[in-house]
């Protein structure tokens, strides 16, 4: 999806006029209209202003991702959870599915005892090798 379409959709979702947005962000109305008509592109500073105003990422505005805010908010997760989320998002769909299946296997095991830990690992490796 193109930047102009994303910007237009965000304006419509919030029932905002071009005039209001241009006033709020100190952008000339003709410049904003150029973004929407696809004959102008915003500079970095303007992209940042737009992303902050709409509470979306620049990647979302540019159509790189459909995730509006893919960045982890500080304090929402500990470091391990953040790492896991980042790894998950970097994987392809099949690998994401494998990771989720493995997480479910570990979740169902009592990993405090060594024998349970070995069972979970054997169960996961058996499960994944049977899918190959």
């Amino acid at each position: 999806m193109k930047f102009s379409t994303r910007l237009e959709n965000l304006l419509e979702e919030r029932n905002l006029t071009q005039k209001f947005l241009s006033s709020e962000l100190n952008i000339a109305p003709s410049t904003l209209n150029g973004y929407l008509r696809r004959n102008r592109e915003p500079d970095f500073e303007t992209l940042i202003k737009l992303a902050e105003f709409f509470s979306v990422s620049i990647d979302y505005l540019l159509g790189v991702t459909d995730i509006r805010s893919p960045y982890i908010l500080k304090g929402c997760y500990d470091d391990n959870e953040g790492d896991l989320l980042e790894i998950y998002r970097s994987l392809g769909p099949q690998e994401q599915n494998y990771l989720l299946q493995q997480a479910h296997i570990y979740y169902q095991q009592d990993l405090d005892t060594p024998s349970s830990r070995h069972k979970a690992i054997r169960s996961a490796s058996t499960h994944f090798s049977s899918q190959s």
Side-chain angles (χ1 to χ4, degrees), residues 68-86:
R68 288 179 181 235
S69 185
Y71 304 104
I72 298 169
L73 300 173
K74 289 185 179 184
C76 290
Y77 303 106
D78 68 25
D79 289 342
N80 290 331
E81 290 170 316
D83 287 347
L84 187 57
L85 184 58
E86 188 174 329

Side-chain angles (χ1 to χ4, degrees), residues 90-101:
S90 70
L91 297 173
Q94 184 174 8
E95 290 81 13
Q96 287 177 342
N97 188 36
Y98 288 155
L99 183 60
L100 282 174
Q101 289 174 12

Side-chain angles (χ1 to χ4, degrees), residues 10-97:
L10 289 167
L11 283 167
E12 287 175 6
E13 284 174 13
R14 290 170 173 77
N15 280 336
L16 300 176
T17 63
Q18 291 181 41
K19 183 177 180 179
F20 175 80
L21 183 61
S22 64
S23 173
E24 284 293 304
L25 300 182
N26 295 319
I27 300 171
S30 59
T31 301
L32 183 60
N33 190 39
Y35 300 157
L36 294 165
R37 298 184 76 155
R38 300 181 185 159
N39 59 5
R40 288 192 88 152
E41 292 181 347
D43 58 22
F44 295 145
E45 184 180 330
T46 304
L47 275 174
I48 293 168
K49 284 182 184 180
L50 288 165
E52 288 174 348
F53 180 85
F54 287 110
S55 298
V56 297
S57 70
I58 292 173
D59 285 348
Y60 177 79
L61 279 175
L62 296 176
V64 174
T65 181
D66 289 333
I67 301 170
R68 288 179 181 235
S69 185
Y71 304 104
I72 298 169
L73 300 173
K74 289 185 179 184
C76 290
Y77 303 106
D78 68 25
D79 289 342
N80 290 331
E81 290 170 316
D83 287 347
L84 187 57
L85 184 58
E86 188 174 329
I87 291 167
Y88 176 82
R89 288 181 174 165
S90 70
L91 297 173
Q94 184 174 8
E95 290 81 13
Q96 287 177 342
N97 188 36

